[in-house]
Amino acid sequence: MAKASTTEVFNCSPEQFFKIISDYEKYSEFLSEVKSCKVLKTEGNRKLVEYNVSVIKSFKYSLWMTETPSTGITWEFASGDVFKTSVGSWKLEAEAGKTRATYSVEATFSMFVPGPIANALVSVNLPNMMSAYHKRVKQVYGV
């Protein structure tokens, strides 16, 4: 199983950051690897979200996103081309008027991928992804 995790402090409140991470259909506006993202179904605080991404090649997958406003989001794999399993979370905590956000993901692939390569695939984009979220916070909230 490939795993990756990172923690960053964002210059906005947990409520504000939650609005950004739960606005899935806008992901393609600021995450370069996301070509499109759409909510297929909503069941209470759970949403089935389909991602169309391009990392080396294009692929599609769907995740069940369970939202807990202001404190985070957890997800689990529903279907897709590349993953056999994928679980993860955003955990949000208030810290001196800002947000400490911890992003974690674990995934297994539907085809054989050697361990070191699998770990690289789930973690290689983390710095760029976090940078994109920092830019989005600044763009949306001007801070």
Side-chain angles (χ1 to χ4, degrees), residues 36-100:
S36 68
C37 202
K38 63 183 173 184
V39 175
L40 302 177
K41 187 189 292 187
T42 300
E43 296 176 354
N45 69 336
R46 282 173 25 116
K47 292 179 179 162
L48 181 62
V49 181
E50 181 183 77
Y51 295 80
N52 191 337
V53 301
S54 183
V55 180
I56 304 169
K57 71 175 207 122
S58 292
F59 56 96
K60 218 184 255 195
Y61 60 94
S62 297
L63 302 174
W64 277 106
M65 313 296 283
T66 301
E67 301 175 354
T68 307
S70 304
T71 63
I73 296 174
T74 59
W75 61 85
E76 58 187 299
F77 181 75
S79 64
D81 302 339
V82 173
F83 298 111
K84 185 164 35 172
T85 64
S86 178
V87 295
S89 65
W90 278 105
K91 181 181 172 193
L92 310 181
E93 301 168 284
E95 183 176 291
K98 297 181 180 183
T99 301
R100 174 177 290 279

Side-chain angles (χ1 to χ4, degrees), residues 6-12 16-17 20-21 30-31 90 95 98-103 125-143:
T6 189
T7 300
E8 299 261 336
V9 176
F10 291 89
N11 197 17
C12 62
Q16 290 173 316
F17 194 70
I20 289 174
I21 63 173
F30 66 97
L31 294 171
W90 278 105
E95 183 176 291
K98 297 181 180 183
T99 301
R100 174 177 290 279
T102 301
Y103 173 89
N125 204 40
L126 276 183
N128 288 341
M129 185 180 85
M130 289 298 145
S131 175
Y133 277 103
H134 279 288
K135 287 177 186 161
R136 185 65 169 182
V137 165
K138 188 169 187 151
Q139 178 186 21
V140 173
Y141 300 115
V143 288

